[in-house]
Amino acid sequence: MMPLKRVLPALILVVGLAACTESKPPAPPTEQQIHSSDSAVATGEMGRHPYRCSDGEPLFVDYKDNGLQIDLRRSSSAMPMTLTAPAQGLQYVGETATATFKGAQLTVVEGEGRTRTCEREGTR
């Protein structure tokens, strides 16, 4: 058996190092997380934000599930196309489309490769 005098300094070092381990501060929220809890439409519907696409068409984006799910609608009352992302900052995927955000810009690629670029309204 080792004498206590030899083991004690090592034990103190291990305990001291464990106490000094820094925990990382939480990452700042993504735009999608922020938008899931605010509104940019007159009705005040939480998470809903209007976009205007390169083809001139409007697009309403409803941010849900803390920004991990979006519902895309061509009008405020149209049936939604639901897309989900596995984690913050990753591509959203649905049955017939994918969507990617870069700042206030949204790129939607639909089934046959039709790509639309949309800008969030009110950010110009």
Side-chain angles (χ1 to χ4, degrees):
M1 189 167 176
M2 291 183 119
L4 187 58
K5 286 183 179 180
R6 290 182 130 182
V7 176
L8 193 56
L11 185 60
I12 290 172
L13 180 64
V14 169
V15 171
L17 287 175
C20 292
T21 303
E22 287 184 41
S23 62
K24 290 184 179 179
T30 64
E31 282 196 43
Q32 290 73 33
Q33 286 175 306
I34 293 168
H35 295 322
S36 69
S37 62
D38 67 6
S39 177
V41 292
T43 61
E45 188 167 340
M46 293 308 289
R48 180 164 289 182
H49 292 266
Y51 283 71
R52 181 68 58 182
C53 299
S54 53
D55 59 6
E57 293 291 318
L59 183 69
F60 291 90
V61 179
D62 293 342
Y63 295 90
K64 298 180 175 185
D65 191 20
N66 201 26
L68 293 177
Q69 175 183 319
I70 55 174
D71 286 348
L72 305 179
R73 301 171 193 268
R74 296 189 188 275
S75 72
S76 60
S77 60
M79 287 295 295
M81 177 175 24
T82 300
L83 294 89
T84 58
Q88 296 296 332
L90 297 181
Q91 182 181 51
Y92 291 82
V93 179
E95 286 186 31
T96 60
T98 62
T100 309
F101 285 93
K102 185 174 184 181
Q105 188 177 69
L106 168 64
T107 302
V108 179
V109 180
E110 296 184 55
E112 295 143 16
R114 177 180 176 221
T115 301
R116 293 194 307 157
T117 303
C118 309
E119 293 280 334
R120 193 170 63 242
E121 292 187 331
T123 60
R124 294 180 192 162

